[in-house]
Amino acid sequence: PNREVRVSDRFDQSVTALLTAADTLFIATVFRQEDGVPSQGADVSHRGGKPGFVRVEDDRTFIFPDFPGNRYFNTLGNIAVNPRAGFLFPDFLNGDLVYMTGEAEVVWDGQSIEGYEGAERFVRFRAEEVLHVEKSMPFRFTFDSYSPSLERAGT
C-alpha cells in the first residue's frame, strides 16, 4: 500500500510530539578511517529512557541523556571521529516511523548533565533531513508496564 511520506529539514508538530513522548530510539553511526581498514563499520544502537527523555531544543535539534551501558562506546566513539548519524523513532501505537539524518555531538559536561539524574553525558543531534512515514511499521505494541530497571534511568 501507498504510505504518506513527509520529507523536511525540520521537525513539524507531529514529529516534535513523537520525539518528546518517546521512550525508545535507535541511533546509527559509522566509523571509516581508510579503505580496507578492518576496524571500520557501522553501529546501530538502542537508547531509551522514561517518556520525555528526549528534549527538543529547536525545530531541527534534540538532545537526550546517555546512561551507563555496556562501556564499549561504539556509538560515542564513532561520533567523535565522524559526526554523521541517523535516527529512527518508532511509534508503536500507530505504526509511524520517523527517520532522520544529520550530525551528532557528545556533550560530556555542563548544566544539562548535572540536572539529569543518572546521565553520564548527553548526545545532541541536528537534523538535516527528516522523513515521517505514516503507518509503515507492520506490527503494533500494546503497552503493559515499564521495566523496573528504568527507575535507574533518572529524570
Side-chain angles (χ1 to χ4, degrees), residues 19 21-29 43-54 62-79 86-90 92 104-106 108 116 120-124 146 150 153:
L19 296 179
D23 62 4
T24 229
L25 62 84
F26 298 90
I27 177 173
T29 59
D43 176 72
V44 178
S45 297
H46 165 266
R47 295 294 193 270
K50 295 175 183 169
F53 84 108
V54 175
F62 64 82
I63 189 169
F64 63 94
D66 190 60
F67 301 111
N70 62 16
R71 303 282 188 215
Y72 287 144
F73 292 94
N74 292 340
T75 301
L76 303 180
N78 288 350
I79 292 170
F87 280 84
L88 170 66
F89 285 86
F92 294 107
E105 68 173 311
V106 179
W108 293 99
Y116 204 105
E120 292 189 341
R121 70 213 126 246
F122 276 73
V123 175
R124 178 176 284 120
Y146 285 109
L150 192 59

Side-chain angles (χ1 to χ4, degrees), residues 10-22 54 56 58-59:
R10 305 187 180 287
F11 310 146
D12 64 16
Q13 187 175 13
S14 63
V15 169
T16 298
L18 176 59
L19 296 179
T20 58
V54 175
V56 173
D58 62 39
D59 64 357

Side-chain angles (χ1 to χ4, degrees), residues 107-115 122:
V107 179
W108 293 99
D109 53 23
Q111 201 170 32
S112 293
I113 294 169
E114 295 165 9
F122 276 73

